[in-house]
Amino acid sequence: MAQALELKLATLSDACQIGLMSRELIEYGLPWSWDEARVARQIRRPDTTVLIARMEARLVGFAIMRFFDDSAHLNLLAVDAGCRRQGVGRRLLEWLEKSARVAGTFFVSLEVRASNQGARVFYQQLGYTEILSIPNYYCGLETAIRMTRDLRRRRLLTP
Ligand SMILES: CC(C)(COP(=O)(O)OP(=O)(O)OC[C@H]1O[C@@H](n2cnc3c(N)ncnc32)[C@H](O)[C@@H]1OP(=O)(O)O)[C@@H](O)C(=O)NCCC(=O)NCCS
């Protein structure tokens, strides 16, 4: 990676940009649900981590994970289109997985849009398995694929 990447917890001043990135990069074609107010609520929640990635002070990615007693759920993850395939998404997810492990939480789940082939491959590469297809999950407009990973199981390396 050419430029230094910094990962840190989001503050309320990041909520607006995270919301805008969510609308553009994740919720395109769907009603906008992760707006600034909703992201700000996640930043305030004690059971949720909102992590951001900065390059040269610019916010280039974020991830939101909620922690339950025995599991964690990845709500959102996105990387700026100009900064992809440089390991930013991997770093964000691995940071959150490490937090989960430290908390003794090993089961992670997420949903991804069925049409989002790039993200599905990304998650598979990071050790996630597609376990369920949920029709109409996204406002009746698109199917979701639920993916899970048991962090105690080693990731199979693919070429
Ligand atoms: C999915 C996403 C977060 C990946 O972020 P990223 O920073 O580009 O991912 P990484 O560089 O860490 O990729 C790690 C590995 O995953 C795989 N991968 C990532 N994106 C891929 C794609 N579009 N197609 C195929 N494989 C992909 C590759 O194996 C990659 O390793 P490599 O680049 O050495 O081959 C990013 O594409 C994104 O923000 N997409 C739009 C939002 C989104 O779909 N979010 C997920 C659903 S909420």
Side-chain angles (χ1 to χ4, degrees), residues 14-25:
D14 300 309
C16 177
Q17 198 178 346
I18 292 171
L20 292 172
M21 287 175 76
S22 178
R23 181 175 64 175
E24 181 188 334
L25 305 176

Side-chain angles (χ1 to χ4, degrees), residues 1 44 47 61 63 77 105 108 128 153:
M1 185 181 307
R44 289 194 185 96
D47 62 355
L77 166 67
T105 301
V108 180
Y128 288 76
R153 297 184 67 173

Side-chain angles (χ1 to χ4, degrees), residues 10-132:
T11 64
L12 290 174
S13 64
D14 300 309
C16 177
Q17 198 178 346
I18 292 171
L20 292 172
M21 287 175 76
S22 178
R23 181 175 64 175
E24 181 188 334
L25 305 176
I26 298 172
E27 299 192 278
Y28 50 86
L30 298 173
W32 186 20
S33 69
W34 288 90
D35 59 8
E36 178 179 2
R38 186 175 181 191
V39 173
R41 283 199 297 277
Q42 308 306 306
I43 293 170
R44 289 194 185 96
R45 287 182 73 110
D47 62 355
T48 298
T49 296
V50 182
L51 185 66
I52 57 169
R54 289 192 185 279
M55 273 185 193
E56 313 255 313
R58 192 167 70 89
L59 199 160
V60 297
F62 67 90
I64 301 178
M65 182 173 275
R66 184 166 175 196
F67 294 84
F68 299 91
D69 285 348
D70 299 318
S71 63
H73 189 80
L74 184 70
N75 283 321
L76 295 180
L77 166 67
V79 175
D80 181 272
C83 299
R84 292 186 189 160
R85 303 305 287 264
Q86 298 177 55
V88 179
R90 178 191 292 270
R91 290 272 305 275
L92 284 163
L93 187 52
E94 289 182 346
W95 193 104
L96 290 168
E97 290 176 344
K98 190 172 174 188
S99 297
R101 278 197 190 87
V102 169
T105 301
F106 300 105
F107 184 78
V108 180
S109 63
L110 60 92
E111 284 87 31
V112 59
R113 294 171 74 165
S115 63
N116 192 348
Q117 286 298 336
R120 290 171 68 173
V121 175
F122 166 79
Y123 289 124
Q124 282 165 8
Q125 290 297 316
L126 274 286
Y128 288 76
T129 305
E130 300 190 351
I131 59 158
L132 188 64

